[in-house]
Amino acid sequence: MNFAVFVSGYGSNLQAIIDAVRQGAIKGRLVLVVSDKKDAYALERARKAGIKTLALDPKDFAGREEFDKAVIRQLQKEKIELVVLAGFMRILSEHFIRTYRDKVLNIHPSLLPQFKGAHAIKDAFEAGVKTTGVTVHFVTEELDGGPVVLQEKVEVTPGESVEQLEERIHKVEHRIYPKAIDLFVRGKLKVIGGRVEVLL
Ligand code: GRF
């Protein structure tokens, strides 16, 4: 199965995915990396790995749907059956979500539905929770909503800094995202009534 990864920034999750594909831990083909930021470091990682990239500037498009339609054209050309959001900081249009219903995964650095939004790690840290974590979920029209695929807890260590917590959360992300992607490409994920069934 062909899949694409969407990025906007550093791309540490992209790197974990590239490595997992190489090691055979994801039995799918990563054929395209899409970015809405032309200078994203993640694009460099893709190029180094010899993966095709598509970097589009939203400013060159009349609106969200026009941007997404340009992306969809490329996805169709490459016969993409799964879209993996990995630090993609842009909201997808309803048109995109309808076109790829139950075929878009996202990773979020909290135990959803807690701490939605762009600053989940800092928000959890500042709230003083003892436990936070990582969620992989399908993308729906609801921001950071959508059926949960995998979750893993991360305990907040007394006295640690937000940076230390962040580092440990990223380590968990890099381990569980490839796992979720592999489950999808092997046809092991089924969305039924807004819940994900993992077929083993
Ligand atoms: C990750 O923390 C991910 O959970 C969130 O954005 C961050 C992306 O980091 N959605 P990177 O670009 O993969 O390093």
Side-chain angles (χ1 to χ4, degrees):
M1 182 188 293
N2 289 355
F3 71 96
V5 176
F6 286 23
V7 295
S8 299
Y10 185 55
S12 69
N13 279 284
L14 170 66
Q15 191 63 56
I17 294 163
I18 289 172
D19 296 344
V21 170
R22 264 200 203 126
Q23 290 155 12
I26 296 175
K27 284 157 205 71
R29 298 199 300 161
L30 171 50
V31 295
L32 184 66
V33 171
V34 176
S35 176
D36 63 333
K37 299 263 185 324
K38 292 196 170 178
D39 59 353
Y41 180 63
L43 287 170
E44 202 59 42
R45 297 181 190 268
R47 286 185 205 113
K48 255 186 215 148
I51 299 160
K52 196 182 275 185
T53 61
L54 173 69
L56 297 175
D57 188 340
K59 283 200 235 82
D60 296 334
F61 295 86
R64 193 171 297 283
E65 198 159 317
E66 286 73 13
F67 178 92
D68 283 4
K69 280 182 174 163
V71 174
I72 289 171
R73 272 197 295 279
Q74 282 300 316
L75 298 181
Q76 288 173 340
K77 222 170 166 181
E78 301 291 342
K79 302 195 165 29
I80 300 294
E81 293 178 69
L82 165 67
V83 170
V84 174
L85 308 184
F88 186 62
M89 301 306 285
R90 187 176 162 79
I91 293 168
L92 294 169
S93 63
E94 275 182 26
H95 172 71
F96 191 101
I97 289 168
R98 266 199 315 273
T99 308
Y100 287 92
R101 172 80 61 205
D102 297 341
K103 292 185 170 68
V104 185
L105 290 175
N106 184 41
I107 190 157
H108 185 81
S110 78
L111 292 177
L112 288 173
Q114 289 183 80
F115 303 110
K116 294 180 176 185
H119 312 288
I121 300 174
K122 186 168 158 271
D123 291 347
F125 185 82
E126 283 174 3
V129 297
K130 304 269 189 240
T131 305
T132 181
V134 174
T135 303
V136 178
H137 65 95
F138 281 104
V139 172
T140 61
E141 287 81 356
E142 191 197 336
L143 190 64
D144 295 329
V148 172
V149 178
L150 294 177
Q151 283 186 307
E152 191 167 308
K153 282 193 279 186
V154 175
E155 307 293 338
V156 181
T157 309
E160 77 177 331
S161 65
V162 68
E163 290 80 15
Q164 285 168 318
L165 175 63
E166 195 171 346
E167 200 182 312
R168 293 193 302 111
I169 286 178
H170 287 322
K171 275 202 185 124
V172 173
E173 291 187 327
H174 301 160
R175 179 159 44 74
I176 76 167
Y177 214 4
K179 210 159 118 186
I181 295 164
D182 186 56
L183 286 169
F184 185 97
V185 299
R186 289 191 295 119
K188 300 290 187 189
L189 300 180
K190 231 185 184 160
V191 185
I192 303 163
R195 284 164 194 271
V196 178
E197 219 179 275
V198 182
L199 313 167
L200 291 173

